[in-house]
Amino acid sequence: MIIMSVDLGKARTGIAVSDSSETFAFPKTVIKEYNTERLIDKLIYFSKELKAELVVFGIPKNMDGSEGFRANECTEIADKFREVSKLETVMWDERCTTVSAYTALNYSGTFGKKRKEVVDAVAATIILEDYLAFRKNQK
């Protein structure tokens, strides 16, 4: 099954995708969009383009596990996406994924403008890797 993951941000949204064997996660793109309706349209476009059968949305929980305002916004966007796309969606805890993405980019020597352009796609990849590991352990 091909799984797409989404790291929602206010200005930039990262997209990653798995291979059909659910073994690897690959960063795909970053969508720069502030308007929710246009963002959902672009997410639907990429889900079709990537042939996604399931979409994992990162949910930014607080460190104590509670959900704040931004988590509610992300859930609403995921719900609207599911209604329009008819694809199965999953909400996945994304705590610390952006920090992990910055760490990975530090190790790869990616800085400056290039770093800002890819960090959200790397964070989406980390979300997807976590989710794939969970699915593998559930089998």
Side-chain angles (χ1 to χ4, degrees), residues 40-41 44 79-87:
I40 291 169
D41 288 343
I44 291 169
D79 289 344
K80 288 178 185 174
F81 171 85
R82 180 179 31 254
E83 286 174 26
V84 177
S85 71
K86 306 297 187 220
L87 287 172

Side-chain angles (χ1 to χ4, degrees), residues 36-48:
T36 302
E37 287 75 30
R38 287 193 301 260
L39 174 61
I40 291 169
D41 288 343
K42 291 177 182 181
L43 291 172
I44 291 169
Y45 167 80
F46 280 107
S47 68
K48 288 178 182 175

Side-chain angles (χ1 to χ4, degrees), residues 13-86:
T13 296
I15 303 292
V17 68
S18 75
D19 62 330
S20 60
S21 68
E22 300 179 23
T23 305
F24 300 104
F26 305 96
K28 282 317 243 183
T29 192
V30 174
I31 300 170
K32 295 174 184 155
E33 185 60 68
Y34 291 93
N35 180 281
T36 302
E37 287 75 30
R38 287 193 301 260
L39 174 61
I40 291 169
D41 288 343
K42 291 177 182 181
L43 291 172
I44 291 169
Y45 167 80
F46 280 107
S47 68
K48 288 178 182 175
E49 183 78 16
L50 298 170
K51 298 179 174 78
E53 300 166 73
L54 170 71
V55 180
V56 178
F57 283 83
I59 185 166
K61 293 187 177 186
N62 297 320
M63 291 311 288
D64 66 1
S66 64
E67 295 180 11
F69 178 75
R70 185 65 187 146
N72 293 333
E73 285 181 333
C74 292
T75 301
E76 288 175 16
I77 291 170
D79 289 344
K80 288 178 185 174
F81 171 85
R82 180 179 31 254
E83 286 174 26
V84 177
S85 71
K86 306 297 187 220

Side-chain angles (χ1 to χ4, degrees), residues 106-126:
N106 284 344
Y107 283 117
S108 71
T110 306
F111 298 99
K113 186 177 181 184
K114 178 68 174 168
R115 176 186 179 116
K116 188 175 182 180
E117 290 174 358
V118 299
V119 69
D120 298 293
V122 173
T125 305
I126 294 168

